[in-house]
Amino acid sequence: MKLNYKRTIFVGFAFFLICAFWQAYEAIIPLMLVNKFGMNQTWSGVIMALDNVLAVFMLPIFGALSDKTKSKYGKRTPYIVLGTLVAIIAFVGLTFADNAQLAQIRMDNGTAQEMYWESETEIPNAEKTYVFDKGLSKNYTVKDYAAKVCFNKSFKDLTESEIEQTKEWFLSIGYETVYYFDNETETYKAFFDEGYTAGKNEIKQNAYTNLVSEAHGAYAWQQTLKNPVPIIFFILILLLTLIAMATFRSPAVALMPDITIKPLRSQANAVINLMGTAGAMIVLMLGMVFKTSALENQTASFTWYVVAVCVLMAVALIAFIFLVKEPQWAKEMEEESERLGIETKSDEIEDYVDDEVKEDSGADKGGIRELKQKDRAKFRSLILILASVALWYIGYNAVSSKYSLYAINVLHKNFNLTMLIAQGAAIISYIPAGWLAAKIGRKKSIICGICCLMVAFFTISFFDSATPSIFIDIFFVIGGIGWATINVNSFPMVVELAKGGNVGKYTGYYYTASMAAQIATPILSGLVMDLVGSMRPLFLYSTIFVLFSLCTMIFVRHGDNVKLKDLKNETEPEIAEGGENNN
């Protein structure tokens, strides 16, 4: 039997719209929180973790509920349709709260400009930040910073004329204005001649991201504290949006195993992930059209961008409704599984029962003991797989939730373009990753993916604004290939341990592990960056946790794929060539 690619693509429209939403969410929500509400990395991380807090509780519940749901439309479809409609309405509504805050921080009058100029910014570990002189005080005013750039003096040492010149320069800074810091002499140089070439020891700095953004963030936070109504409404609408998304994620993902026999699930999951990545890539292209990563748009309205994303989600939902015949396809899968004897050879972890009960029914005591030992071994593998999922999501999600800010402030690159390249690498890797698992097994394929992700993150941690874009793109491609290989094979390993009636429950287990990780990582990574006083540790932080996931994955013994020929011959299943025999 071969995978029915057409059906799998149709089912993939549900994952398409899910990934489209999350790509937009992770791109603009951090920008809203930091640039418009003035939050630091830690507090923005707390807000970014809300969806994962909800998901930990809701995904297993709605996964299990969908297992038991009976309707003429199927078990999963009602959740997908209703959840998507509510999420679309709420997501658009979220932009109105954002616009209300935006109205508070517009720099359109003299008073606001003065506050902007006067704002203080706290610089932890200032002596470790290369754009500042050593020994600077922790509370460093914007006036002092601008004075350093213009005259290499502190503000209190400036003449009246120099004060006016400094203030005029600061207020006239454009998004592309640069200055240079000389490491050898520890002096600042403000240049207005675009033809200037930096000296050997001089580091080029973007004046807006290194100076204006600090003042703007401080001013925005002052306005948030002064009138918290917009942030209150923002969080309430955000909660509604996230709840709606959480109600149908497990049912949507569980639909693939519902219509696909076990040996083909890695290949099917490759198609599903391909559809999801296609949705994310289209949203990234929309981001480029709406210029969401451009410096001049960091305090712009995102309403029309969100509307465009929601239209895309609605189109995918309509395609799903008209093309997917869930009850019919699920029934056909059950009949095919029964014909091949797949359920009788399931890796399902059975409930423990008392030996005496089985003895009364004539069961062999030695067989019972062997069954219990096998169940315990499978349970250990399930825990190790879920631990691995949590650890690599801690690493990956730190990057995905913070990269829009990192790209703008550290790399000075277009984050939409970079992520589009990474997604492009992933999308051409999904099908080969499914084939690879059929050859060497899911576990070994995942380990290969983890190694690629580690190499990419570790190398990128050394890049800065002077790094040529081509090198950044190359290692994002490597990371995209690694992440695709991990994603294609990890979910099937978990549901391989489930019977058909429990797929939703095991899907909930998988997403509980991933979402629990994503609760902690935006907060923890934000705290690390705030303590260091820089976003530079982001990729090193991610590398460490991906390494931990390799350590746990090595000890997994169950959940790999079996060959169809073994099921047809009704012999003891053999793990696909290159894999381990786990039965």
Side-chain angles (χ1 to χ4, degrees), residues 83-96 237 240-241 310:
T84 302
L85 291 175
V86 174
I88 286 173
I89 295 170
F91 197 25
V92 174
L94 189 66
T95 65
F96 293 101
I237 300 171
L240 177 60
T241 309
C310 288

Side-chain angles (χ1 to χ4, degrees), residues 118-382:
E118 297 283 348
S119 296
E120 289 194 355
T121 181
E122 185 172 319
I123 316 230
N125 301 318
E127 68 280 359
K128 296 182 181 178
T129 308
Y130 63 81
V131 297
F132 295 100
D133 285 345
K134 294 178 180 178
L136 292 180
S137 61
K138 239 182 147 183
N139 290 318
Y140 197 52
T141 66
V142 171
K143 292 186 292 185
D144 283 331
Y145 194 177
K148 279 283 186 183
V149 172
C150 285
F151 295 101
N152 288 290
K153 296 180 181 179
S154 60
F155 190 74
K156 61 183 176 60
D157 296 325
L158 297 180
T159 65
E160 285 295 323
S161 174
E162 289 173 336
I163 288 174
E164 290 304 313
Q165 289 180 58
T166 303
K167 185 173 179 180
E168 181 181 351
W169 178 81
F170 172 80
L171 295 177
S172 66
I173 288 175
Y175 295 103
E176 302 302 323
T177 302
V178 298
Y179 65 92
Y180 295 87
F181 177 69
D182 191 305
N183 274 323
E184 189 173 305
T185 62
E186 294 188 347
T187 56
Y188 297 80
K189 297 182 181 180
F191 291 99
F192 304 95
D193 180 5
E194 294 183 359
Y196 177 81
T197 302
K200 181 179 179 181
N201 298 304
E202 291 176 341
I203 300 174
K204 180 180 178 181
Q205 300 295 320
N206 180 283
Y208 187 85
T209 56
N210 286 283
L211 174 57
V212 180
S213 291
E214 295 283 357
H216 180 266
Y219 173 72
W221 182 242
Q222 290 173 8
Q223 295 301 100
T224 299
L225 294 177
K226 183 178 178 180
N227 179 19
V229 173
I231 189 62
I232 291 171
F233 276 102
F234 184 88
I235 292 174
L236 289 175
I237 300 171
L238 183 66
L239 281 171
L240 177 60
T241 309
L242 297 176
I243 289 170
M245 291 299 298
T247 59
F248 72 93
R249 183 158 185 164
S250 285
V253 176
L255 187 53
M256 181 276 287
D258 284 347
I259 69 161
T260 310
I261 63 172
K262 286 190 173 185
L264 298 178
R265 284 177 182 170
S266 276
Q267 294 177 49
N269 201 42
V271 176
I272 295 296
N273 277 278
L274 189 149
M275 289 292 290
T277 304
M281 289 181 70
I282 293 174
V283 169
L284 286 169
M285 287 186 278
L286 286 174
M288 295 175 70
V289 171
F290 286 91
K291 299 181 179 179
T292 57
S293 64
L295 281 174
E296 61 267 25
N297 289 331
Q298 297 313 292
T299 53
S301 172
F302 291 121
T303 299
W304 290 111
Y305 167 74
V306 171
V307 168
V309 171
C310 288
V311 168
L312 180 67
M313 292 172 65
V315 170
L317 179 64
I318 292 169
F320 177 88
I321 292 171
F322 283 99
L323 296 174
V324 174
K325 299 174 176 59
E326 181 191 339
Q328 176 188 331
W329 296 353
K331 183 179 179 181
E332 290 175 6
M333 190 282 290
E334 290 173 1
E335 291 172 351
E336 184 68 12
S337 294
E338 185 177 349
R339 184 178 68 81
L340 294 170
I342 292 176
E343 286 299 320
T344 62
K345 296 178 182 296
S346 171
D347 261 355
E348 164 73 6
I349 301 172
E350 303 289 350
D351 293 332
Y352 293 125
V353 295
D354 190 86
D355 284 353
E356 292 182 1
V357 174
K358 287 196 173 182
E359 284 182 321
D360 290 342
S361 64
D364 176 71
K365 189 171 182 179
I368 294 168
R369 187 178 295 109
E370 183 180 349
L371 177 62
K372 280 192 171 185
Q373 289 173 349
K374 187 176 290 188
D375 284 343
R376 289 190 184 100
K378 292 172 185 174
F379 181 72
R380 283 194 297 271
S381 284
L382 176 63

